């Protein structure tokens, strides 16, 4: 994959890049990008690309991974291979998704550490966050208690660190893979998102630097979704 800048700096909002290829007029691959591509249950970034030669602006309406590259869908045709562009990530959208994403890791840590419950899926969009929980009987009181505990952990304002481990080394610690939803299994180096002193996960997403940035996690509702599966909706405020 081309240089995915968000992996090492999830606070990067603007960057310079060159167009490597354009498919069907609107699907643009850059030599480097800070746009997070949709994946692992997390929505992609939006934003803009401004061509430096004439200032023409293209809206980025979708980003996804295709054949190992991050492809950006823009709102109209015109970009050409070799164009230099100035890119801006829609930061309100991204920051919201980051807060929800780190929040899910806190919640997942509480579910698993306190109740041996596993999160088997998640969906993060700007207006809705949900996790799927492997739980035999839906126990709303217990779920609510876990949100209370998650908010206590957030108040401790633990730092969140990102680093890399070899697959071999990472596989010695199965707890790193609790949330490894859709994580590619053919790569040698794993990115670890570590809420210091609480929970570390193999993860390719964008996270806040300290837990207080999440705000407050609020339980909204839960529903049965299949035999073992309880779907839990929440917001971060
Ligand atoms: Zn994650």
């Amino acid at each position: 994959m081309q240089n995915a800048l968000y992996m090492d700096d999830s606070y990067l909002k603007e960057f310079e890049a060159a167009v490597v290829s354009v498919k069907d007029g609107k699907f643009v691959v850059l030599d480097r990008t800070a746009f997070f591509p949709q994946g692992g249950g997390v929505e992609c970034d939006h934003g803009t690309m401004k061509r430096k030669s004439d200032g023409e602006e293209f809206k980025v309406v979708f980003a996804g991974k295709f054949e190992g590259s991050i492809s950006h869908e823009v709102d109209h045709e015109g970009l050409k291979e070799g164009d230099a562009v100035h890119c801006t990530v829609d930061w309100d959208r991204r920051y919201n998704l980051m807060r929800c994403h780190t929040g899910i890791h806190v919640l997942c840590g509480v579910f698993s550490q306190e109740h041996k419950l596993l999160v088997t899926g998640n969906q993060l969009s700007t207006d809705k966050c949900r996790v799927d929980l492997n739980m035999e009987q839906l126990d709303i009181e217990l779920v609510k208690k876990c949100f209370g505990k998650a908010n206590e952990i957030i108040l401790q304002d633990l730092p969140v660190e990102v680093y890399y481990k070899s697959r071999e080394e990472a596989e010695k610690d199965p707890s790193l893979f609790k949330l490894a939803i859709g994580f590619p299994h053919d790569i040698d180096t794993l990115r670890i998102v570590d809420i210091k002193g609480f929970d570390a996960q193999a993860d390719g997403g964008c996270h806040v630097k300290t837990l207080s940035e999440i705000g407050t996690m609020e339980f909204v509702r839960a529903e049965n979704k299949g035999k073992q599966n309880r779907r839990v909706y929440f917001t971060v405020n």
Side-chain angles (χ1 to χ4, degrees), residues 40 42 101-102 104-105 122 124 179 181 193 201-207:
V42 184
H101 195 168
T102 310
I104 279 192
H105 282 225
N122 59 258
L124 295 188
L179 251 174
I181 304 149
V193 172
Q201 292 301 315
D203 192 282
C206 299
H207 289 268

Side-chain angles (χ1 to χ4, degrees), residues 58-125:
F58 300 79
K59 280 197 170 66
V60 176
V61 296
F62 183 79
K65 258 184 223 169
F66 298 96
E67 293 159 358
S69 294
I70 297 171
S71 171
H72 311 75
E73 182 182 352
V74 291
D75 64 334
H76 65 280
E77 298 187 13
L79 280 168
K80 297 270 179 302
E81 187 184 329
D83 280 350
V85 285
H86 180 87
C87 303
T88 306
V89 173
D90 177 341
W91 181 245
D92 284 350
R93 175 184 169 87
R94 154 71 82 74
Y95 192 55
N96 243 316
L97 291 169
M98 277 164 54
R99 291 168 55 228
C100 291
H101 195 168
T102 310
I104 279 192
H105 282 225
V106 175
L107 198 56
C108 170
V110 172
F111 282 139
S112 87
Q113 289 174 22
E114 310 237 325
H115 304 285
K116 302 262 174 289
L117 293 169
L118 277 186
V119 170
T120 55
N122 59 258
Q123 196 70 47
L124 295 188
S125 58

